[in-house]
Amino acid sequence: MSVFTIRGGHPLSGSVPIQGAKNSVLPILAATLLAPGECMIHNCPRLTDVEFTLDILRHLGCKVSREGETVTVDASAPVGWDVPDSLMGEMRSSVIFLGPLLSRMGRAELSYPGGCELGPRPIDLHISSLTTLGADIQEEGGRLLCTGPLHGGDIALSLPSVGATENAMLAAVMAPGTTTITNAAREPEIVDLQAFLNTLGARVRGAGSSVVVIEGGVPLHGGEYTVMADRIVCATYLSALAATGGQGECTGVDWRHLSTVTALLSEAGCEIKSSRSAISLKAPRRLKAVSPVRTAPYPGFPTDAQAVVMAALTCSEGATLFVENMFTSRYRHVDQLIRMGADIRLEGRVAVVYGVESLHGARVAATDLRGGAALAVAGAAARGETVIRQLEHIDRGYADLAGDLRALGADIWRKEEQETE
Ligand code: UD1
């Protein structure tokens, strides 16, 4: 069993390049299915979620290879239309294959994704969007059986779901006619997906706004693309610098994607400087509490950054209120932070963090991806040694969390440990 050991309690400093965005690369890899040619995708981080996605593409008959951070997918002759239960079970976001499979093969079969560590995650909006585009979707024995053909249509989402917006875009690019998605999610990853699809010859516009329009049915071809930097990984490292009273920078990142996170850290007393492709931060010795943090769809405060900034604020002066509006079970890191000496009260969607003088090292377990990263942030700030177990959650989204934090001066190592609990 791998664990992280961190000896914390000293200010971090240094510079770290930010990996490619997990939430961009997954839909982009699914989109390669649409192109009867070779797609070369740069800045593909080595994450377990990415490797599962590549396994699904291989299973479907694509030729897939990786050289460093560049992945090549040749979907000239995809033969399959099903995602097996084993691969579906590994990663909830494999539901993103529904749109491209329906679009390219006219047929898709995959198991119904269950809940996950963040609570129940319904896919009703994915299904209703694809149905609007002409798909017939039946559920049989826990499997979704979907058939086309698809056509353009007007999709009105009742809430701006990231995954449903992406699935609808992926389904619509090959469906003859015009598709309009209203109340679309506005996340930067959707802008990245649009840019990639247009590189393949698609005609998609409006991503980043609430209305995305797709002129479907144009022939696509292969292409080359570089995935955007991961704004949540960047938020994690800025939080670690802030939590430790440190000073440093994250490079290769678009500061505009992090404006709510940097505004919060600045309110907490950090000096932030953003240039074209880097964000630097200088933290005070002790952070101040900030005004309520309410998670919301982009451009609001990202739910994915809630845990890491909460970890940074555990040692602030004063109390900060958090309201988690996106997912029901997104405070599972709180118990672990309490084990490290944090004072956090929880009720439903609300958490109040009362700043303490300092945290202490403890044995803790990652409960989910971002909650796990939050423990590393807390561990960097805590006096003494912190051991983090259940790294499989963290490996889903961080290519090398320990290496990146070491680049910022942290004393953190990945070690093998005998299973004792
Ligand atoms: C994506 C991100 C995830 C992030 C989340 C919100 C990926 C791979 N994952 O997840 O990291 O935390 O956006 O920013 O990009 N909902 C429904 N019905 C649906 C779909 C969603 O009710 O059919 C609800 C969800 O339960 C949730 C809200 O909509 O409460 C937002 O979910 P959504 O934007 O779809 O998140 P994901 O795409 O799953």
Side-chain angles (χ1 to χ4, degrees), residues 79-402:
V79 289
W81 54 78
D82 72 306
V83 181
D85 284 355
S86 53
L87 291 170
M88 195 66 202
E90 295 292 354
M91 194 180 62
R92 189 200 165 275
S93 41
S94 35
V95 71
I96 198 67
F97 278 95
L98 210 49
L101 282 176
L102 264 172
S103 198
R104 175 83 191 266
M105 307 303 292
R107 184 171 174 188
E109 197 181 317
L110 41 81
S111 58
Y112 211 91
C116 71
E117 64 269 11
L118 306 184
R121 288 175 84 163
I123 58 162
D124 53 315
L125 300 175
H126 298 244
I127 291 177
S128 62
S129 303
L130 299 175
T131 307
T132 303
L133 300 184
D136 176 58
I137 304 185
Q138 307 290 335
E139 197 195 331
E140 227 177 82
R143 295 217 23 108
L144 289 170
L145 313 177
C146 317
T147 43
L150 302 182
H151 50 70
D154 290 334
I155 296 169
L157 294 175
S158 56
L159 58 88
S161 155
V162 175
T165 303
E166 292 168 344
N167 234 336
M169 287 164 72
L170 291 167
V173 280
M174 289 177 77
T178 303
T179 294
T180 306
I181 309 169
T182 48
N183 199 21
R186 299 165 60 189
E187 268 68 2
E189 291 76 14
I190 289 172
V191 180
D192 218 28
L193 178 61
Q194 168 177 282
F196 175 63
L197 289 171
N198 288 343
T199 303
L200 304 183
R203 290 195 200 133
V204 186
R205 61 179 192 274
S209 79
S210 299
V211 182
V212 177
V213 180
I214 302 114
E215 307 290 345
V218 284
L220 302 186
H221 48 71
E224 192 170 347
Y225 193 73
T226 301
V227 174
M228 64 176 260
D230 196 308
R231 60 197 170 99
I232 306 302
V233 169
C234 181
T236 306
Y237 301 155
L238 292 176
S239 298
L241 288 165
T244 59
Q247 178 171 9
E249 63 165 6
C250 296
T251 61
V253 63
D254 187 334
W255 63 272
R256 291 168 301 184
H257 299 164
L258 281 127
S259 55
T260 49
V261 172
T262 51
L264 180 152
L265 293 171
S266 164
E267 188 186 341
C270 299
E271 260 175 55
I272 310 262
K273 286 198 186 117
S274 303
S275 66
R276 211 176 162 73
S277 63
I279 300 177
S280 65
L281 178 148
K282 184 173 178 217
R285 200 192 59 78
R286 191 172 181 196
L287 297 178
K288 293 179 292 192
V290 297
S291 9
V293 183
R294 297 188 169 87
T295 65
Y298 193 85
F301 191 88
T303 174
D304 289 350
Q306 175 254 105
V308 294
V309 301
M310 181 183 285
L313 289 168
T314 50
C315 292
S316 62
E317 233 176 311
T320 301
L321 178 86
F322 283 78
V323 186
E324 172 54 58
N325 292 310
M326 303 298 291
F327 293 106
T328 48
S329 301
R330 208 150 199 191
Y331 284 134
R332 296 179 63 194
H333 50 281
V334 165
D335 279 347
Q336 306 296 313
L337 291 174
I338 290 172
R339 290 174 82 144
M340 300 175 73
D343 182 0
I344 306 172
R345 320 279 164 86
L346 201 55
E347 194 167 319
R349 290 180 177 272
V350 175
V352 186
V353 177
Y354 296 93
V356 292
E357 277 288 328
S358 62
L359 299 181
H360 53 78
R363 266 187 84 76
V364 289
T367 51
D368 60 81
L369 167 55
R370 306 301 171 188
L375 301 179
V377 170
R383 295 193 183 135
E385 187 177 87
T386 295
V387 177
I388 308 177
R389 297 178 297 118
Q390 289 172 210
L391 299 189
E392 64 277 10
H393 293 293
I394 297 175
D395 294 339
R396 288 185 40 227
Y398 294 80
D400 186 9
L401 181 70

